[in-house]
Amino acid sequence: MKAYFFDFDGTLALLDESEFLIDYFKSLGDFLKMDPVKLSKEITSIIREITINADGFRSNYDRFMESFIRRFGGDTREWEKTFKKFYESSYFKRLSCHFLPNDKVITFLQERKGEGNKIVLATNPVFPKSAMIERLSWIGLKAEDFALITSMEDFHYCKPDPRYFLEVCSKISEKPENCVMIGDDDEMDGACEDVGIKFIKVSSL
């Protein structure tokens, strides 16, 4: 093998995802002074929409913003500035309390990197890169630990679309058969097998 892809939530990081999402939308709602229940409903719908309707031409970020503005109104540049401020704010940083490093998996990552393999943070690309770098810091990792971080600005597909995994392979110039995906979700992460990438469930490490 030449490359190892690591999921974030439930793989590198341990958390109760339901509790995190509730608190995430509460924090976002507090920051935006908007109803967190409405935000949760609409943003979840947007993520579903961009996952199903990927065209391969526009990034996840562009399609997200287009759908978000269609639902909430406003100007793209102003919303970009607002979201940037949110991810730099204490409203977002306080969510770190939900996360613990999965030491066993992080050790496995470091061992594979030490062998000269390419290491990819193959999280579902529905967060900006700056937000993912911040989230990595919550479990003691940094951007430099990875050859690639999949983010919404740079990717055109979401899990479990098999094309997401092919896009990762393309960006690191590796064939699928030379790659391994480590994740906790049979549907989202296990879809890598559709394109010839080996899937290892995190619980079996």
Side-chain angles (χ1 to χ4, degrees), residues 115-133:
E115 293 168 352
N117 297 288
K118 296 175 184 176
I119 305 299
V120 175
L121 179 62
T123 184
N124 207 16
V126 295
F127 279 101
K129 188 173 183 178
S130 62
M132 281 314 308
I133 291 173

Side-chain angles (χ1 to χ4, degrees), residues 171-190:
K171 286 182 181 292
I172 63 169
S173 301
E174 290 293 349
K175 295 179 180 179
E177 58 266 31
N178 293 331
C179 303
V180 179
M181 176 75 214
I182 315 296
D184 66 308
D185 192 300
D186 290 314
E187 179 184 358
M188 299 292 278
D189 302 314

Side-chain angles (χ1 to χ4, degrees), residues 92-180:
F92 184 62
K93 295 178 188 296
R94 73 188 184 192
L95 299 173
S96 63
C97 66
H98 290 279
F99 294 79
L100 290 172
N102 191 339
D103 294 327
K104 182 179 180 180
V105 180
I106 292 174
T107 297
F108 181 82
L109 180 157
Q110 292 167 337
E111 289 172 348
R112 301 293 80 74
K113 185 174 182 179
E115 293 168 352
N117 297 288
K118 296 175 184 176
I119 305 299
V120 175
L121 179 62
T123 184
N124 207 16
V126 295
F127 279 101
K129 188 173 183 178
S130 62
M132 281 314 308
I133 291 173
E134 172 63 27
R135 295 180 78 202
L136 281 171
S137 73
W138 299 346
I139 59 169
L141 294 174
K142 54 188 183 297
E144 292 75 19
D145 293 319
F146 300 89
L148 175 69
I149 295 173
T150 65
S151 64
M152 68 191 309
E153 303 102 316
D154 300 322
F155 274 74
H156 301 79
Y157 309 100
C158 297
K159 298 176 186 178
D161 190 325
R163 292 174 294 179
Y164 161 78
F165 300 99
L166 290 177
E167 190 167 18
V168 176
C169 291
S170 175
K171 286 182 181 292
I172 63 169
S173 301
E174 290 293 349
K175 295 179 180 179
E177 58 266 31
N178 293 331
C179 303
V180 179

Side-chain angles (χ1 to χ4, degrees), residues 26 46 53 60 104 163:
K26 182 180 184 306
I46 292 170
N53 298 321
N60 293 340
K104 182 179 180 180
R163 292 174 294 179

Side-chain angles (χ1 to χ4, degrees), residues 1 27 45 51 54 61 67 70 74 170 186 205:
M1 293 301 170
S27 289
S45 177
T51 298
Y61 178 82
S67 186
R70 187 166 61 244
S170 175
D186 290 314
L205 285 180

